[in-house]
Amino acid sequence: MRIAFLLIALLAIVDACAQPYPNRPLRFVVGFTPGGGVDINARLLAAKMSELLGQQVVVENKPGAGTNIANELVAKSAPDGYTLLFTSPAVAINMSLYRNAPYDALRDFAGVAVFSESTNLLVVPASLPVRSVKELIAMAKQRPGTLNYSSAGQGTTQHLAGELFKLRTGTDIVHVPYKGSAPSLTALIAGEVQLSFVNPVAVGPHVKSGRLRALAVAGAKRTALFPDVPMMEEAGVEGVEVPLWYGLLAPKATPRDIVRTLANAVGRAAHSDETRRKLAQDGAEPVGSTPEDFDAQLGDEIARWAEVVKVSGAKAD
């Protein structure tokens, strides 16, 4: 009886493995709360990949510990292509920001593809009486230690952008980390903090409504969403370029044919007319890279952010 049971179980496993991938729903694990740039991009990609793969793709938000909860969950998941990490540069930043991160980004993850790219805007509440980066810096120097900037958490690009801004401008501004992009943005709109670096995907409607004011783009070029907002360098501050990317990672041992199937779907999704239009509305651009390119990019990002963490003195605590 026991042997028969084992044979049935073995046959079930063999049958499941023989079925074409994917044959059941997938999940994108996101280390941020709903409503921020990572979450919005994840849901955009998930909806399109559900169509392309013929299986539902569910977005599961697992915020906390600077995205380490989500990162560790996926790193230790079965490498079968059904549990994937949709992430941002935070996964690379954490390698130097946290001394004892519960995973290693290069050892534990396989790059699938970068979905899209964007940048952050330096934004202040409309109630703050500054209309330029120069005026903000002057206020910060007149009131050292009294202005606060919010972020979606320790180790996020918002955090590092703020630290770089302080470093390059010689200002004393206090970092206030929140548990995700949505509460960070809410605090900014309410005037609980005086500035933040926010992705156009999330902040666009609030700038257009007049509740927030965009002062500069923390990137190498202006964003089409706000063409009149200058780059940080144009505003008189050099060295505060914090590019954003949104990509999909799989557990390291995931079979290459599955990784390539996913990468192909990401590329098709990113460059579909519908997705390109939605990304453009949010000031982002499609990418759709190869697994090999993303692996190389992840290694470069880890090295780049390690230098930023060192120079800025950013800490996780």
Side-chain angles (χ1 to χ4, degrees), residues 19-42:
Q19 294 181 37
Y21 172 85
N23 55 57
R24 54 188 170 88
L26 293 75
R27 64 170 174 161
F28 289 174
V29 180
V30 175
F32 298 87
T33 53
V38 180
D39 178 73
I40 291 171
N41 274 266

Side-chain angles (χ1 to χ4, degrees), residues 221-253:
K221 61 180 180 179
R222 295 192 180 196
T223 172
L225 194 62
F226 298 103
D228 295 330
V229 177
M231 296 182 297
M232 195 69 72
E233 185 175 358
E234 293 174 317
V237 180
E238 297 185 359
V240 185
E241 291 185 8
V242 187
L244 290 176
W245 49 261
Y246 302 106
L248 202 61
L249 294 172
K252 190 68 170 183

Side-chain angles (χ1 to χ4, degrees), residues 140-148 171-174:
K141 289 188 175 181
Q142 290 170 0
R143 300 161 51 184
T146 61
L147 297 187
N148 300 322
T171 52
D172 179 10
I173 304 173
V174 181

